Amino acid sequence: MTEPSTTPARPAGDDDRAVLADFAELSAIGATDAGGVERQAATDADARTRAWLTRWLHDRGFTTTTDRIGNLFGLREWVPGAPYVLVGSHLDSQPRGGRYDGAYGVLAAAHAAHRADRAFAASGTAPAFNVAVVDWFNEEGSRFKPSMMGSAVYTGKMDLEEAWAVTDTAGVTVKEALAAIGALGEQDGPRAAFAAEIHIEQGRILDREGVRIGLVESNWAAHKYQISVLGDQSHTGSTAMEDRRDALLGAARVIVALRELADRYPGVLHTSAGQIFVHPNSPVVVAREAQLHLDLRSADPDVLQEADALLDREFAAIEASTGVRIVKTGDHVWPVTPYQPEGVALARAAAEELGLSHRPMLTLAGHDSTHLKDIVPTVMLFVPSVEGVSHNEREFTRDADICAGVDLLTRVVQRLCTGALDGGRSR
């Protein structure tokens, strides 16, 4: 892919070199042999990454604090008592995930906040708001469900006690895991005035079109839920085929039905079965239970509602044909909601001043900003993902795009801190 003609090349400066050096150092924590990282929430690797960020922030004059759900905040207070511009993403990863997902957004936030601090000091400008660099806890939702947990608790969308009680597959609770890595804070996070997040696209639109910045205008709706397919345990050899109630067979048909549902709405609906547990998981036993995590997403709420109804009908048909029972055991929903247009306009103006090509976009994936935008005006930015690869060790974003994104985020943070958005609400 060649660089877009609207974005002139420029030599790397000291700030760019610092970003790339820090990103390389950060990416070495929890690194996998194939070039990715494994830093699931509240694991040792996650703790070491958080410690690295804490040292980085302290070295540059920030103070740090952790709230009760493990969100890590790096605070730079210019105006005592004023609320904060929250800027950040997440440091946790998927199993054998990519090194850019989330971590780039946190590092970009740290550099943007530091550059803003330097700029305000050099110019004598008095900001209207303070800034907080944020590592939101358990955005990925791989060890603990649901995803985006830290920002959900911060914004009041999830009860703290409920989040603390969530367990991983080994039975460890969120509260126990946070305590084990020293990340169980005793206070609330800082009061927010605005928020911003930059992230890799995790799709291929920007890369394919040769555009450097995505200006996110809205998110897709999502419906995630867990089901249990309940059968009857029996012998794989001696049990007659017509007598079997095979939970794994029922689960397999659910997975196929999900894909056929997506094919019914091409380009409009995404579906997946991302996790499955089979019991007793013995090679000579017909499964008595299969637990699955299902995911349906669309930018059209009516399509999502239709898909849910069609899937319920498929469940009934699968039950009738296999003798199993399908039970929904939990769900997690977020609707289509726009990012504030004034925030999009602010980011667009900043991109044009920097000569960065840009386009409006929707986000198909969930991000912590999905929660933040519902309580304060929030800016969400994308940089390209090569070939759209994400949640994979081959995930890659070009150095030039990394640095351009930090440049843009810096300008956005400066403007938010100086009150460029009128009518901001503080949490």
Side-chain angles (χ1 to χ4, degrees), residues 147-148 157 201-203 205 215-224 261-263 265-272 295-305 307 332-339 359-371 373-374 380 382:
S147 58
M148 305 182 295
K157 294 187 173 186
E201 181 193 345
Q202 300 180 287
I205 294 173
L215 305 174
V216 181
E217 296 183 328
S218 186
N219 62 279
W220 276 32
H223 188 183
K224 301 183 177 186
L261 199 56
D263 292 341
Y265 301 93
V268 180
L269 178 71
H270 288 188
T271 66
S272 74
D295 189 332
L296 292 81
R297 305 187 192 213
S298 179
D300 187 332
D302 292 335
V303 167
L304 198 59
Q305 187 174 8
H332 178 48
V333 180
W334 65 79
V336 171
T337 49
Y339 287 80
R359 76 184 308 279
M361 301 193 71
L362 303 180
T363 176
L364 283 69
H367 301 287
D368 293 300
S369 69
T370 307
H371 289 321
K373 67 179 167 51
D374 294 337
M380 182 76 199
F382 282 159

Side-chain angles (χ1 to χ4, degrees), residues 112-174:
H114 180 48
R115 290 184 195 177
D117 187 32
R118 285 168 21 204
F120 291 143
S123 67
T125 303
F129 301 101
N130 302 307
V131 70
V133 177
V134 192
D135 167 29
W136 297 107
F137 172 69
N138 189 41
E139 192 274 351
E140 292 292 358
S142 58
R143 182 181 180 192
F144 301 105
K145 293 189 291 288
S147 58
M148 305 182 295
M149 181 181 285
S151 55
V153 171
Y154 176 86
T155 56
K157 294 187 173 186
M158 186 176 189
D159 178 74
L160 175 63
E161 296 283 348
E162 178 188 351
W164 274 350
V166 172
T167 60
D168 64 9
T169 56
V172 178
T173 68
V174 165

Side-chain angles (χ1 to χ4, degrees), residues 288-333:
R288 68 173 180 271
E289 182 176 1
Q291 299 165 334
L292 290 85
H293 181 81
L294 311 184
D295 189 332
L296 292 81
R297 305 187 192 213
S298 179
D300 187 332
D302 292 335
V303 167
L304 198 59
Q305 187 174 8
E306 288 176 19
D308 276 330
L310 288 169
L311 192 58
D312 282 340
R313 289 185 213 165
E314 287 295 327
F315 286 169
I318 292 166
E319 288 177 325
S321 65
T322 63
V324 303
R325 194 160 55 90
I326 300 174
V327 179
K328 291 182 181 180
T329 58
D331 65 353
H332 178 48
V333 180

Side-chain angles (χ1 to χ4, degrees), residues 67 71 73 86 136 150-156 189-192 372 375 427:
D67 70 7
N71 297 317
F73 300 90
L86 304 183
W136 297 107
S151 55
V153 171
Y154 176 86
T155 56
R191 188 163 54 104
L372 270 296
I375 66 163
R427 179 177 180 270

Side-chain angles (χ1 to χ4, degrees), residues 16 19-20 23 100 212 396-405:
D16 289 348
V19 168
L20 297 176
F23 185 70
Y100 297 85
R212 181 152 277 173
F396 183 70
T397 293
R398 295 178 179 87
D399 288 352
D401 293 327
I402 285 177
C403 295

